[in-house]
Structures are given as C-alpha cells and as structure tokens.
Amino acid sequence: MQPTEAIWAVRDFIEMGGNVLLVIAFVTGVMWTLILERFWYFRMSYPVDRNQVEGEWSARDDHGSWQAHQIRRLLISQTRTRLTENLGMIRTLVAVCPMLGLLGTVTGMIEVFDVMAASGSGNARGMASGVSKATLPTMAGMVAALSGMIFSIQLDRFANHETDRVAGHLEIVHQ
C-alpha cells in the first residue's frame, strides 16, 4: 500500500466513523506516549535511580535507629513515586477510551434518528451511514482501551515489584 493510499484509507475511516474518532485517536496517542515514556524510564533511568538509592542507604553507618528507619521509609516512598509517575493518568486514559466510543455511538444513533425522521425508515442508505458512525467509534474506543489496559497492568506490576525489591534491599538492623 502506498503512503497516499494509506492516508486516503484513514480519511475514509474517519469519515465513516465521525469526528469522535479524531478525539479517540488523540487520547490514544497521549496514552501510548505515556506508556512508552514509562517503559523508557524503567529501562534507562530507573536502574540508575535504584543504584543511587541503594548506594545512599549502604553509605549510612546507622541502619537501626528511628531516624534511619524514617530515612529508609523516605527512600522507599521516593522510589515508589518515581516508579508510579503517570500510571494514574494512563489508567484514566484507558477508562476514557470506551466512554469516547460510547459518545460516538450516541452521535451516530442521533444521525440514524434524524434520517428516520426526515425520510422514514425506508432510507436504508442514510441509516447505514449513521449505524457505521455508531459502530466504528465504539470499536475504536474498545481496541484503544484494551491495548492500553494490557500494558498498564504490566507497568503497575513492575512498579509494585520494584518497590518491594528496593524495600527488601534497604535492610534495617535492629539494635
């Protein structure tokens, strides 16, 4: 498929599904940008952050006092905060995608009812256009949500696992 053919196909798809597809595409783009940013952080920056936290704890002479315990809690909390950054926004965008699909369904059905009111139920071609505008955004919203949900769950699991791992490495010596 040539690049111009792909552009025409996307344009036709958007025309069949309505302008709500543009909003779904934008939200999906933002969601995937955040997902890729998290993968980038986990792969490239987090190992440096983890080593810095573990090194800071190891460099301390005191591991058993109340103050050391509070510093340990602070280091774990800071690590958790960095690991879970943007995960709430990703989960929110995953939840918004199906809602936008439902918005497309409503707008498409309004078009069907407008055709029925203007020309009666005998205009199948006019009704088919509205049905496609009702169906395509729903499908697009669900596909976007499912793709984001799979990776969102993986990112959450990794963040929780790594937080527990760091907590385990920052041992407390009881005196």
Side-chain angles (χ1 to χ4, degrees), residues 1-3 17 22 44 58 65 81 95 106 108 142 144 147 154 162-163:
M1 180 180 275
Q2 298 293 326
L22 292 174
M44 304 304 286
S58 296
S65 69
T81 300
V106 170
M142 295 305 284
S147 69
Q154 288 178 335
E162 284 299 311
T163 300

Side-chain angles (χ1 to χ4, degrees), residues 2 20 34 38 50 54 60 80 91 95 99 132 138 167:
Q2 298 293 326
V20 175
L34 293 174
R38 286 289 81 196
R50 182 188 61 224
E54 290 174 358
R60 291 186 53 81
R80 180 184 303 277
R91 284 190 298 273
M99 297 301 117
S132 74
T138 305

Side-chain angles (χ1 to χ4, degrees), residues 34-35 38-39 42 79-92 94 148-164:
L34 293 174
I35 288 171
R38 286 289 81 196
F39 276 116
F42 291 161
T79 300
R80 180 184 303 277
T81 300
R82 284 191 296 266
L83 283 168
T84 59
E85 188 175 314
N86 293 329
L87 293 183
M89 179 62 78
I90 292 169
R91 284 190 298 273
T92 301
V94 165
M149 186 185 324
I150 292 167
F151 289 98
S152 173
I153 290 168
Q154 288 178 335
L155 292 170
D156 281 334
R157 284 182 184 165
F158 182 81
N160 290 333
H161 173 74
E162 284 299 311
T163 300
D164 293 343

Side-chain angles (χ1 to χ4, degrees), residues 15-171:
E15 280 182 10
M16 286 188 327
N19 291 331
V20 175
L21 283 178
L22 292 174
V23 177
I24 291 171
F26 176 76
V27 169
T28 303
V30 171
M31 177 182 68
W32 273 99
T33 300
L34 293 174
I35 288 171
L36 293 174
E37 182 276 330
R38 286 289 81 196
F39 276 116
W40 177 264
Y41 173 76
F42 291 161
R43 180 83 171 139
M44 304 304 286
S45 300
Y46 172 67
V48 174
D49 289 349
R50 182 188 61 224
N51 290 339
Q52 181 181 355
V53 166
E54 290 174 358
E56 185 177 335
W57 180 253
S58 296
R60 291 186 53 81
D61 292 331
D62 173 26
H63 290 167
S65 69
W66 178 87
Q67 183 180 15
H69 181 70
Q70 298 307 313
I71 290 172
R72 177 183 179 270
R73 288 181 57 196
L74 174 69
L75 292 172
I76 293 168
S77 177
Q78 289 172 339
T79 300
R80 180 184 303 277
T81 300
R82 284 191 296 266
L83 283 168
T84 59
E85 188 175 314
N86 293 329
L87 293 183
M89 179 62 78
I90 292 169
R91 284 190 298 273
T92 301
L93 293 174
V94 165
V96 164
C97 285
M99 297 301 117
L100 290 172
L102 288 175
L103 176 64
T105 300
V106 170
T107 58
M109 291 311 293
I110 289 172
E111 186 173 314
V112 169
F113 295 142
D114 283 344
V115 168
M116 288 175 67
S119 62
S121 60
N123 187 351
R125 182 168 293 187
M127 289 180 9
S129 170
V131 170
S132 74
K133 283 190 179 179
T135 307
L136 290 177
T138 305
M139 177 198 64
M142 295 305 284
V143 167
L146 287 173
S147 69
M149 186 185 324
I150 292 167
F151 289 98
S152 173
I153 290 168
Q154 288 178 335
L155 292 170
D156 281 334
R157 284 182 184 165
F158 182 81
N160 290 333
H161 173 74
E162 284 299 311
T163 300
D164 293 343
R165 184 174 173 271
V166 167
H169 282 128
L170 305 182
E171 298 175 15

Side-chain angles (χ1 to χ4, degrees), residues 1-13:
M1 180 180 275
Q2 298 293 326
T4 55
E5 291 175 6
I7 291 171
W8 285 104
V10 168
R11 184 187 63 83
D12 291 343
F13 183 74

